[in-house]
Amino acid sequence: MRNALSVDVEDWFQVGAFEKVIGRDSWETLPRRVEANTDRVLALFERAGVKATFFTLGWVAERHPALIRRIAAAGHEIASHGWDHRRVFTLGEKEFRADLDRAHQAIEAAGGVAPTGYRAPSFSIDARTPWAHAILAERGYAYSSSVAPIAHDHYGWRESPRFAWRPVAGSDLIELPVTTVSLAGRRFAAGGGGFFRILPYRFSSWAISRVNAAESRPAIFYFHPWEVDPDQPRVGNAPLKSKLRHYTNLSRMRSKLLKLMKAHAWGRTDAVAAAEQARLP
Ligand SMILES: [Zn+2]
């Protein structure tokens, strides 16, 4: 069972949790670390012998085209994470189309390949955005991995399916929700991000094995380049909870990821999407 490994390519100052304290108008003045951090991730993947998907902000692709080309040259998938990390439920349909197209053009111009996969910033496709998947289908995307089927303080669409589903009637587009485990009727996040860094390694590894063996489904796992950067600038005026989530266990992340990569089988999200699509009626 091959699981989908993915990286949401954004810088330390672009994360949703810091949105209120770091305005987009200041991004241009902040030291960028995304290129060096993504190179660390590429080195890690090379060491583990895995291919993955890089959901990249158009804003980053426009400023770091050589990085996008290195990712593609190493055999990884370049996909879209939108233009500048605006969450989909804060946009209207017209704005979502514009954000999606601007990112698409920047990524294609940088890497020479048109993205066929999309991940919404902060898993922001949910019950409030019933039009979002239809727009992705209309724009030619093959898959979306934009839904967290759980309840969370920042995001989540609790009632949506835990595994691949077709959100648009008459379209082949599939949604690959980030992995959860179901225990005693409750769903728990198990697809990476802060949960992977903060919880013990054995929980994540067990959850992936459980999804693969007991439910016969691939896991959809993600992390960010800033999570392998313990030396990133600290955002002092952010809410305490956000700071705890963002900075816990950064120095241990690389070895933890390497262990996870060796313990399970991994691949690009487009390959996992194609396999899931073939399985769905
Ligand atoms: Zn993101």
Side-chain angles (χ1 to χ4, degrees):
M1 177 75 64
R2 202 172 284 277
N3 302 292
L5 180 61
S6 61
V7 184
D8 292 357
V9 181
E10 63 203 41
D11 221 324
W12 61 273
F13 50 82
Q14 295 174 315
V15 303
F18 294 155
E19 200 180 46
K20 288 198 175 77
V21 289
I22 306 175
R24 281 181 179 73
D25 52 357
S26 68
W27 284 6
E28 212 61 78
T29 67
L30 296 167
R32 292 211 289 272
R33 301 175 71 87
V34 68
E35 182 152 359
N37 289 337
T38 306
D39 279 334
R40 286 179 175 182
V41 172
L42 285 170
L44 194 71
F45 288 172
E46 201 185 333
R47 200 169 141 193
V50 297
K51 301 297 177 201
T53 295
F54 290 73
F55 292 100
T56 305
L57 287 182
W59 192 97
V60 171
E62 189 178 79
R63 287 161 180 79
H64 300 275
L67 172 66
I68 306 308
R69 288 194 293 274
R70 284 200 296 283
I71 296 170
H76 303 292
E77 179 191 4
I78 306 283
S80 174
H81 196 36
W83 173 254
D84 65 353
H85 219 267
R86 279 173 217 270
R87 286 165 296 166
V88 180
F89 58 72
T90 67
L91 304 174
E93 295 181 49
K94 210 175 141 189
E95 292 165 307
F96 179 53
R97 262 191 204 92
D99 182 282
L100 196 62
D101 291 352
R102 193 176 177 194
H104 194 102
Q105 283 154 17
I107 291 164
E108 191 173 5
V113 187
T116 63
Y118 172 77
R119 171 165 292 147
S122 308
F123 299 103
S124 55
I125 289 183
D126 60 24
R128 289 168 284 186
T129 59
W131 36 264
H133 283 117
I135 291 174
L136 289 167
E138 163 202 306
R139 289 308 203 237
Y141 283 82
Y143 75 91
S144 159
S145 179
S146 304
V147 173
I150 53 157
H152 180 278
D153 55 351
H154 289 175
Y155 55 73
W157 185 0
R158 201 170 36 180
E159 312 78 24
S160 64
R162 288 179 53 230
F163 297 114
W165 54 292
R166 292 190 202 280
V168 186
S171 162
D172 284 339
L173 178 92
I174 62 165
E175 169 61 40
L176 288 174
V178 64
T179 291
T180 55
V181 278
S182 181
L183 287 174
R186 278 191 67 196
R187 293 176 180 187
F188 296 89
F195 296 101
F196 176 69
R197 251 185 311 116
I198 293 160
L199 297 175
Y201 168 82
R202 61 182 181 277
F203 170 75
S204 295
S205 189
W206 168 84
I208 291 165
S209 296
R210 180 180 164 106
V211 164
N212 288 173
E215 304 189 273
S216 304
R217 298 273 45 90
I220 312 297
F221 183 88
Y222 78 102
F223 66 99
H224 305 91
W226 55 261
E227 289 184 277
V228 298
D229 180 12
D231 303 321
Q232 65 190 279
R234 293 299 190 262
V235 180
N237 53 345
L240 183 63
K241 197 163 149 190
S242 302
K243 284 196 281 191
L244 283 173
R245 275 183 189 160
H246 192 94
Y247 298 120
T248 300
N249 295 339
L250 291 174
S251 58
R252 283 190 232 152
M253 185 66 170
R254 261 197 281 191
S255 57
K256 209 171 177 179
L257 281 168
L258 202 55
K259 202 169 161 186
L260 194 77
M261 273 169 230
K262 287 177 177 166
H264 304 275
W266 298 101
R268 292 164 46 141
T269 311
D270 56 355
V272 171
E276 287 292 87
Q277 199 168 55
R279 177 187 67 87
L280 287 172

